[in-house]
Amino acid sequence: LTCGLGSPSKDAVTKLLAVLGTIALVLAIIALLTGSLAPLSLLVVDIVLLWALSTVRHAVHVRHQPYAA
């Protein structure tokens, strides 16, 4: 897989976001199977963390100059 800037980075934030995404998937499945409010509440917290961390990451991302043709 590649991103728009080339190959994806493998820094700590990328790994943390991947873990949070995996946890979100597991919590969604558990919430659907059990119908319990606890995993659904944890899923909301997880999605908010994913949103906040990715927004901050995009906000501090250094922009590259376009290549001259």
Side-chain angles (χ1 to χ4, degrees):
L1 294 175
T2 60
C3 67
L5 298 174
S7 62
S9 62
K10 295 186 180 1
D11 59 348
V13 178
T14 301
K15 292 177 183 176
L16 175 63
L17 290 172
V19 168
L20 286 174
T22 304
I23 291 171
L25 176 64
V26 170
L27 287 171
I29 292 170
I30 292 171
L32 287 172
L33 292 177
T34 64
S36 176
L37 191 58
L40 187 61
S41 300
L42 291 172
L43 177 61
V44 170
V45 171
D46 189 30
I47 291 174
V48 169
L49 279 173
L50 273 168
W51 170 79
L53 287 173
S54 62
T55 301
V56 169
R57 185 175 184 178
H58 284 287
V60 299
H61 181 72
V62 178
R63 295 183 183 252
H64 297 284
Q65 295 297 327
Y67 294 112

